[in-house]
Amino acid sequence: MSTASSNTDLHRLYCDHHGWLQGWLRQRLNNSADAADLAQDTFVRVLLARTADSLREPRQYLATVARGLVIDLYRRRSLEQAYLEALALRPEQYAPSAEERVLILDSLEAIDRMLDGMGERTRGIFLAVQLDGLSYEKAASRMDVSVTTVRKHLAKALLHCLLLEEV
């Protein structure tokens, strides 16, 4: 398919459904600015996926993409709130700059996405060993599994991290 045809399909999709999508998001978020931002982000995702020409149910597809973006928005805000609460406990002279805060929040969001992609047991074992500093034996005892299971899940978690780094 040519680029011109693909652009025409995306333009038609945008013109036909942008207003509806923004209204749909506004109802769910009770915030016009967030709804406008997420509607635009939804169409950017469609553009990047190059799916505008093959949609049979465009509103259903757009709503699915937008739901994922809403989840990402709430997840990011939750991380921001937790970070700001932790930051409030620190003495003011140790507070990071605005630029450092953005970098830290972006890193926290990336870590959250990485952890979310792991299974529950794998994530628990990974955090016990990497974050809590437990030995394989202590992690096995905490998780009520064998040391072999800890090794297997930790290898799986590390492979997951490496594969994400390649993307």
Side-chain angles (χ1 to χ4, degrees):
M1 170 166 290
S2 73
T3 304
S5 176
S6 180
N7 288 343
T8 301
D9 291 336
L10 182 62
H11 183 264
R12 185 178 311 118
L13 180 70
Y14 185 88
C15 289
D16 291 349
H17 302 288
H18 178 265
W20 167 82
L21 181 63
Q22 192 168 337
W24 184 85
L25 285 163
R26 192 173 31 254
Q27 281 184 316
R28 280 148 183 79
L29 299 171
N30 289 324
N31 184 310
S32 295
D34 286 343
D37 288 346
L38 290 181
Q40 289 301 111
D41 290 348
T42 300
F43 284 98
V44 168
R45 291 263 174 108
V46 171
L47 173 67
L48 294 174
R50 299 182 181 161
T51 56
D53 61 325
S54 61
L55 296 176
R56 291 189 185 141
E57 298 289 334
R59 288 189 175 185
Q60 185 176 7
Y61 180 77
L62 292 170
T64 299
V65 172
R67 269 188 213 97
L69 292 171
V70 168
I71 290 168
D72 290 347
L73 174 72
Y74 285 139
R75 179 178 281 157
R76 179 168 179 92
R77 286 193 178 153
S78 176
L79 280 170
E80 283 179 25
Q81 186 61 40
Y83 173 66
L84 291 173
E85 288 171 7
L87 196 57
L89 298 175
R90 296 180 70 180
E92 194 170 323
Q93 69 263 27
Y94 298 112
S97 68
E99 295 84 12
E100 289 172 320
R101 285 184 186 187
V102 169
L103 291 172
I104 291 167
L105 285 170
D106 287 346
S107 297
L108 287 172
E109 189 176 0
I111 291 167
D112 183 57
R113 278 193 313 271
M114 183 257 322
L115 291 172
D116 192 47
M118 294 180 190
E120 187 176 336
R121 180 178 281 178
T122 300
R123 181 176 48 251
I125 290 170
F126 178 79
L127 291 173
V129 172
Q130 296 297 319
L131 190 62
D132 297 339
L134 297 183
S135 67
Y136 289 11
E137 292 78 14
K138 288 183 179 177
S141 176
R142 177 190 282 183
M143 303 294 291
D144 197 27
V145 296
S146 69
V147 173
T148 302
T149 299
V150 168
R151 284 191 177 106
K152 179 181 87 172
H153 282 280
L154 192 57
K156 185 176 177 181
L158 293 173
L159 177 62
H160 176 75
C161 293
L162 287 172
L163 292 175
L164 282 178
E165 193 172 288
E166 291 295 317
V167 174

